[in-house]
mmCIF file of all heavy atoms in Angstrom:
data_model
loop_
_atom_site.group_PDB
_atom_site.id
_atom_site.type_symbol
_atom_site.label_atom_id
_atom_site.label_comp_id
_atom_site.label_asym_id
_atom_site.label_seq_id
_atom_site.Cartn_x
_atom_site.Cartn_y
_atom_site.Cartn_z
ATOM 1 N N ASP L 67 -51.533 -4.576 23.782
ATOM 2 C CA ASP L 67 -52.042 -5.948 23.895
ATOM 3 C C ASP L 67 -50.946 -7.016 23.970
ATOM 4 O O ASP L 67 -51.243 -8.181 24.244
ATOM 5 C CB ASP L 67 -52.984 -6.275 22.721
ATOM 6 C CG ASP L 67 -54.396 -5.731 22.947
ATOM 7 O OD1 ASP L 67 -54.573 -4.897 23.860
ATOM 8 O OD2 ASP L 67 -55.327 -6.139 22.220
ATOM 9 N N SER L 73 -46.754 -15.816 25.622
ATOM 10 C CA SER L 73 -45.334 -15.990 25.325
ATOM 11 C C SER L 73 -44.553 -14.732 25.717
ATOM 12 O O SER L 73 -43.388 -14.823 26.116
ATOM 13 C CB SER L 73 -45.131 -16.308 23.847
ATOM 14 O OG SER L 73 -45.706 -15.302 23.037
ATOM 15 N N ARG L 152 -57.119 -2.095 31.101
ATOM 16 C CA ARG L 152 -57.315 -3.173 30.134
ATOM 17 C C ARG L 152 -56.316 -4.306 30.331
ATOM 18 O O ARG L 152 -56.592 -5.443 29.952
ATOM 19 C CB ARG L 152 -57.162 -2.573 28.729
ATOM 20 C CG ARG L 152 -57.388 -3.509 27.565
ATOM 21 C CD ARG L 152 -57.258 -2.730 26.261
ATOM 22 N NE ARG L 152 -57.182 -3.578 25.099
ATOM 23 C CZ ARG L 152 -58.216 -3.912 24.318
ATOM 24 N NH1 ARG L 152 -59.415 -3.447 24.594
ATOM 25 N NH2 ARG L 152 -58.052 -4.695 23.290
ATOM 26 N N GLN L 236 -41.427 6.405 21.295
ATOM 27 C CA GLN L 236 -42.023 5.083 21.075
ATOM 28 C C GLN L 236 -43.403 5.308 20.468
ATOM 29 O O GLN L 236 -44.305 5.790 21.137
ATOM 30 C CB GLN L 236 -42.125 4.321 22.399
ATOM 31 C CG GLN L 236 -42.858 2.986 22.307
ATOM 32 C CD GLN L 236 -42.059 1.932 21.531
ATOM 33 O OE1 GLN L 236 -40.859 1.786 21.705
ATOM 34 N NE2 GLN L 236 -42.740 1.204 20.653
ATOM 35 N N ASP L 237 -43.553 4.976 19.170
ATOM 36 C CA ASP L 237 -44.787 5.256 18.455
ATOM 37 C C ASP L 237 -45.185 6.730 18.626
ATOM 38 O O ASP L 237 -44.422 7.589 18.240
ATOM 39 C CB ASP L 237 -45.909 4.305 18.883
ATOM 40 C CG ASP L 237 -45.689 2.894 18.329
ATOM 41 O OD1 ASP L 237 -44.678 2.688 17.648
ATOM 42 O OD2 ASP L 237 -46.515 2.020 18.575
ATOM 43 N N THR L 420 -63.076 18.136 -11.502
ATOM 44 C CA THR L 420 -63.068 19.599 -11.479
ATOM 45 C C THR L 420 -63.112 20.091 -10.040
ATOM 46 O O THR L 420 -63.414 19.319 -9.117
ATOM 47 C CB THR L 420 -64.289 20.162 -12.231
ATOM 48 O OG1 THR L 420 -65.472 19.594 -11.640
ATOM 49 C CG2 THR L 420 -64.253 19.781 -13.708
ATOM 50 N N ASN L 426 -57.644 18.068 -5.057
ATOM 51 C CA ASN L 426 -57.185 16.882 -4.334
ATOM 52 C C ASN L 426 -56.344 15.970 -5.228
ATOM 53 O O ASN L 426 -55.407 15.315 -4.747
ATOM 54 C CB ASN L 426 -58.382 16.100 -3.791
ATOM 55 C CG ASN L 426 -58.998 16.758 -2.564
ATOM 56 O OD1 ASN L 426 -58.325 17.496 -1.850
ATOM 57 N ND2 ASN L 426 -60.270 16.486 -2.319
ATOM 58 N N ASN L 441 -41.010 3.124 -1.891
ATOM 59 C CA ASN L 441 -40.912 1.702 -2.215
ATOM 60 C C ASN L 441 -39.631 1.395 -2.996
ATOM 61 O O ASN L 441 -39.012 0.351 -2.803
ATOM 62 C CB ASN L 441 -42.111 1.258 -3.042
ATOM 63 C CG ASN L 441 -43.404 1.192 -2.252
ATOM 64 O OD1 ASN L 441 -44.480 1.168 -2.813
ATOM 65 N ND2 ASN L 441 -43.325 1.178 -0.930
ATOM 66 N N GLN L 442 -39.247 2.308 -3.884
ATOM 67 C CA GLN L 442 -38.086 2.055 -4.739
ATOM 68 C C GLN L 442 -36.781 2.114 -3.944
ATOM 69 O O GLN L 442 -35.892 1.301 -4.161
ATOM 70 C CB GLN L 442 -38.064 3.096 -5.868
ATOM 71 C CG GLN L 442 -36.995 2.860 -6.929
ATOM 72 C CD GLN L 442 -37.382 1.757 -7.911
ATOM 73 O OE1 GLN L 442 -38.533 1.358 -7.977
ATOM 74 N NE2 GLN L 442 -36.410 1.235 -8.643
ATOM 75 N N GLY L 469 -47.810 8.695 4.337
ATOM 76 C CA GLY L 469 -46.533 8.593 5.033
ATOM 77 C C GLY L 469 -46.564 7.664 6.218
ATOM 78 O O GLY L 469 -47.624 7.157 6.607
ATOM 79 N N TYR L 570 -62.680 11.402 10.640
ATOM 80 C CA TYR L 570 -62.199 10.280 9.832
ATOM 81 C C TYR L 570 -60.812 10.559 9.243
ATOM 82 O O TYR L 570 -59.921 9.721 9.283
ATOM 83 C CB TYR L 570 -63.185 9.964 8.708
ATOM 84 C CG TYR L 570 -62.779 8.734 7.924
ATOM 85 C CD1 TYR L 570 -63.029 7.469 8.427
ATOM 86 C CD2 TYR L 570 -62.117 8.835 6.711
ATOM 87 C CE1 TYR L 570 -62.640 6.332 7.728
ATOM 88 C CE2 TYR L 570 -61.731 7.708 6.007
ATOM 89 C CZ TYR L 570 -61.999 6.458 6.518
ATOM 90 O OH TYR L 570 -61.606 5.336 5.843
ATOM 91 N N ARG L 591 -60.673 10.123 21.632
ATOM 92 C CA ARG L 591 -61.271 8.979 20.958
ATOM 93 C C ARG L 591 -62.743 9.245 20.710
ATOM 94 O O ARG L 591 -63.578 9.036 21.585
ATOM 95 C CB ARG L 591 -61.100 7.731 21.819
ATOM 96 C CG ARG L 591 -59.645 7.462 22.127
ATOM 97 C CD ARG L 591 -59.462 6.211 22.930
ATOM 98 N NE ARG L 591 -58.090 6.126 23.400
ATOM 99 C CZ ARG L 591 -57.629 5.215 24.217
ATOM 100 N NH1 ARG L 591 -58.445 4.270 24.670
ATOM 101 N NH2 ARG L 591 -56.378 5.204 24.595
ATOM 102 N N ILE L 594 -66.410 7.780 14.636
ATOM 103 C CA ILE L 594 -66.399 8.321 13.279
ATOM 104 C C ILE L 594 -67.797 8.826 12.949
ATOM 105 O O ILE L 594 -67.995 9.946 12.495
ATOM 106 C CB ILE L 594 -65.999 7.235 12.258
ATOM 107 C CG1 ILE L 594 -64.584 6.754 12.538
ATOM 108 C CG2 ILE L 594 -66.119 7.772 10.829
ATOM 109 C CD1 ILE L 594 -64.212 5.522 11.740
ATOM 110 N N THR L 595 -68.764 7.954 13.171
ATOM 111 C CA THR L 595 -70.152 8.273 12.877
ATOM 112 C C THR L 595 -70.778 8.879 14.115
ATOM 113 O O THR L 595 -71.006 8.182 15.100
ATOM 114 C CB THR L 595 -70.926 6.999 12.523
ATOM 115 O OG1 THR L 595 -70.219 6.294 11.513
ATOM 116 C CG2 THR L 595 -72.325 7.341 12.061
ATOM 117 N N GLU L 600 -72.674 20.271 18.887
ATOM 118 C CA GLU L 600 -72.625 21.182 20.029
ATOM 119 C C GLU L 600 -73.747 22.201 19.902
ATOM 120 O O GLU L 600 -73.996 22.723 18.799
ATOM 121 C CB GLU L 600 -71.287 21.928 20.030
ATOM 122 C CG GLU L 600 -70.145 21.175 20.668
ATOM 123 C CD GLU L 600 -70.269 21.144 22.176
ATOM 124 O OE1 GLU L 600 -70.728 22.118 22.770
ATOM 125 O OE2 GLU L 600 -69.923 20.102 22.759
ATOM 126 N N VAL T 15 -75.417 7.184 17.115
ATOM 127 C CA VAL T 15 -74.596 7.849 18.129
ATOM 128 C C VAL T 15 -74.683 9.363 17.969
ATOM 129 O O VAL T 15 -74.484 9.890 16.866
ATOM 130 C CB VAL T 15 -73.131 7.372 18.055
ATOM 131 C CG1 VAL T 15 -72.181 8.386 18.706
ATOM 132 C CG2 VAL T 15 -72.978 6.030 18.755
ATOM 133 N N ASP T 54 -65.381 9.047 23.679
ATOM 134 C CA ASP T 54 -65.063 10.240 24.474
ATOM 135 C C ASP T 54 -66.181 11.275 24.528
ATOM 136 O O ASP T 54 -66.092 12.231 25.317
ATOM 137 C CB ASP T 54 -63.769 10.905 23.967
ATOM 138 C CG ASP T 54 -62.518 10.197 24.487
ATOM 139 O OD1 ASP T 54 -62.649 9.078 25.009
ATOM 140 O OD2 ASP T 54 -61.421 10.755 24.366
ATOM 141 N N SER T 60 -71.374 19.103 27.632
ATOM 142 C CA SER T 60 -72.587 19.483 26.900
ATOM 143 C C SER T 60 -73.360 18.236 26.457
ATOM 144 O O SER T 60 -74.592 18.257 26.389
ATOM 145 C CB SER T 60 -72.225 20.341 25.688
ATOM 146 O OG SER T 60 -71.302 19.668 24.846
ATOM 147 N N GLY T 133 -61.473 -6.197 24.595
ATOM 148 C CA GLY T 133 -61.985 -6.261 23.223
ATOM 149 C C GLY T 133 -62.337 -4.877 22.721
ATOM 150 O O GLY T 133 -61.518 -3.954 22.775
ATOM 151 N N GLN T 223 -72.922 0.602 13.637
ATOM 152 C CA GLN T 223 -72.387 1.859 14.177
ATOM 153 C C GLN T 223 -70.871 1.783 14.099
ATOM 154 O O GLN T 223 -70.255 1.016 14.837
ATOM 155 C CB GLN T 223 -72.851 2.054 15.622
ATOM 156 C CG GLN T 223 -72.253 3.284 16.304
ATOM 157 C CD GLN T 223 -72.770 4.602 15.750
ATOM 158 O OE1 GLN T 223 -73.951 4.756 15.481
ATOM 159 N NE2 GLN T 223 -71.877 5.553 15.548
ATOM 160 N N ASP T 224 -70.256 2.556 13.202
ATOM 161 C CA ASP T 224 -68.813 2.476 12.962
ATOM 162 C C ASP T 224 -68.413 1.024 12.698
ATOM 163 O O ASP T 224 -68.895 0.437 11.749
ATOM 164 C CB ASP T 224 -68.030 3.113 14.114
ATOM 165 C CG ASP T 224 -68.134 4.642 14.079
ATOM 166 O OD1 ASP T 224 -68.814 5.172 13.189
ATOM 167 O OD2 ASP T 224 -67.532 5.298 14.922
ATOM 168 N N THR T 407 -39.623 0.433 -10.296
ATOM 169 C CA THR T 407 -39.534 -0.929 -10.825
ATOM 170 C C THR T 407 -39.995 -1.927 -9.767
ATOM 171 O O THR T 407 -40.119 -1.594 -8.590
ATOM 172 C CB THR T 407 -38.080 -1.270 -11.215
ATOM 173 O OG1 THR T 407 -37.255 -1.102 -10.043
ATOM 174 C CG2 THR T 407 -37.591 -0.362 -12.329
ATOM 175 N N ASN T 413 -47.063 -1.524 -6.866
ATOM 176 C CA ASN T 413 -47.851 -0.656 -5.985
ATOM 177 C C ASN T 413 -48.365 0.578 -6.714
ATOM 178 O O ASN T 413 -49.451 1.087 -6.403
ATOM 179 C CB ASN T 413 -47.013 -0.238 -4.777
ATOM 180 C CG ASN T 413 -46.865 -1.349 -3.760
ATOM 181 O OD1 ASN T 413 -47.697 -2.251 -3.694
ATOM 182 N ND2 ASN T 413 -45.813 -1.298 -2.961
ATOM 183 N N ASN T 428 -64.770 12.364 -4.886
ATOM 184 C CA ASN T 428 -64.842 13.808 -4.660
ATOM 185 C C ASN T 428 -65.745 14.490 -5.689
ATOM 186 O O ASN T 428 -66.462 15.434 -5.373
ATOM 187 C CB ASN T 428 -63.444 14.432 -4.741
ATOM 188 C CG ASN T 428 -62.561 14.099 -3.550
ATOM 189 O OD1 ASN T 428 -61.362 14.223 -3.602
ATOM 190 N ND2 ASN T 428 -63.150 13.650 -2.455
ATOM 191 N N GLN T 429 -65.673 14.007 -6.939
ATOM 192 C CA GLN T 429 -66.447 14.653 -8.004
ATOM 193 C C GLN T 429 -67.949 14.401 -7.836
ATOM 194 O O GLN T 429 -68.758 15.306 -8.058
ATOM 195 C CB GLN T 429 -65.988 14.108 -9.368
ATOM 196 C CG GLN T 429 -66.589 14.814 -10.568
ATOM 197 C CD GLN T 429 -65.941 16.173 -10.835
ATOM 198 O OE1 GLN T 429 -64.881 16.490 -10.307
ATOM 199 N NE2 GLN T 429 -66.603 16.990 -11.634
ATOM 200 N N GLY T 456 -60.419 4.366 0.849
ATOM 201 C CA GLY T 456 -61.870 4.297 0.996
ATOM 202 C C GLY T 456 -62.355 4.714 2.365
ATOM 203 O O GLY T 456 -61.563 4.954 3.280
ATOM 204 N N TYR T 557 -48.880 -1.648 10.841
ATOM 205 C CA TYR T 557 -49.101 -0.277 10.393
ATOM 206 C C TYR T 557 -50.124 -0.206 9.263
ATOM 207 O O TYR T 557 -51.023 0.641 9.273
ATOM 208 C CB TYR T 557 -47.793 0.362 9.926
ATOM 209 C CG TYR T 557 -47.965 1.815 9.564
ATOM 210 C CD1 TYR T 557 -48.010 2.784 10.550
ATOM 211 C CD2 TYR T 557 -48.123 2.220 8.247
ATOM 212 C CE1 TYR T 557 -48.190 4.123 10.236
ATOM 213 C CE2 TYR T 557 -48.305 3.551 7.922
ATOM 214 C CZ TYR T 557 -48.334 4.502 8.918
ATOM 215 O OH TYR T 557 -48.532 5.819 8.616
ATOM 216 N N ARG T 578 -55.010 -4.446 19.844
ATOM 217 C CA ARG T 578 -54.296 -3.176 19.922
ATOM 218 C C ARG T 578 -52.819 -3.432 20.177
ATOM 219 O O ARG T 578 -52.406 -3.637 21.311
ATOM 220 C CB ARG T 578 -54.878 -2.323 21.041
ATOM 221 C CG ARG T 578 -56.354 -2.078 20.858
ATOM 222 C CD ARG T 578 -56.936 -1.209 21.931
ATOM 223 N NE ARG T 578 -58.383 -1.230 21.852
ATOM 224 C CZ ARG T 578 -59.182 -0.611 22.697
ATOM 225 N NH1 ARG T 578 -58.678 0.076 23.699
ATOM 226 N NH2 ARG T 578 -60.495 -0.685 22.560
ATOM 227 N N ILE T 581 -47.221 -0.099 16.972
ATOM 228 C CA ILE T 581 -46.678 -0.092 15.616
ATOM 229 C C ILE T 581 -45.218 -0.541 15.681
ATOM 230 O O ILE T 581 -44.788 -1.421 14.950
ATOM 231 C CB ILE T 581 -46.745 1.326 15.010
ATOM 232 C CG1 ILE T 581 -48.196 1.769 14.880
ATOM 233 C CG2 ILE T 581 -46.042 1.371 13.657
ATOM 234 C CD1 ILE T 581 -48.336 3.241 14.535
ATOM 235 N N THR T 582 -44.509 0.104 16.572
ATOM 236 C CA THR T 582 -43.094 -0.194 16.735
ATOM 237 C C THR T 582 -42.933 -1.267 17.786
ATOM 238 O O THR T 582 -43.145 -1.015 18.965
ATOM 239 C CB THR T 582 -42.346 1.062 17.212
ATOM 240 O OG1 THR T 582 -42.668 2.138 16.349
ATOM 241 C CG2 THR T 582 -40.852 0.814 17.223
ATOM 242 N N GLU T 587 -42.109 -13.728 18.290
ATOM 243 C CA GLU T 587 -42.524 -14.995 18.896
ATOM 244 C C GLU T 587 -41.354 -15.975 18.831
ATOM 245 O O GLU T 587 -40.675 -16.060 17.806
ATOM 246 C CB GLU T 587 -43.700 -15.580 18.104
ATOM 247 C CG GLU T 587 -45.046 -15.040 18.485
ATOM 248 C CD GLU T 587 -45.506 -15.560 19.830
ATOM 249 O OE1 GLU T 587 -45.240 -16.723 20.154
ATOM 250 O OE2 GLU T 587 -46.128 -14.784 20.570
#
Side-chain angles (χ1 to χ4, degrees):
Chain L
D67 279 14
S73 56
R152 183 177 168 96
Q236 174 70 43
D237 287 1
T420 56
N426 284 335
N441 288 162
Q442 187 78 15
Y570 185 79
R591 303 182 190 174
I594 297 170
T595 309
E600 276 286 324
Chain T
V15 159
D54 280 13
S60 56
Q223 175 69 42
D224 286 1
T407 58
N413 284 336
N428 288 162
Q429 187 77 14
Y557 185 79
R578 303 182 191 177
I581 297 169
T582 309
E587 276 287 323

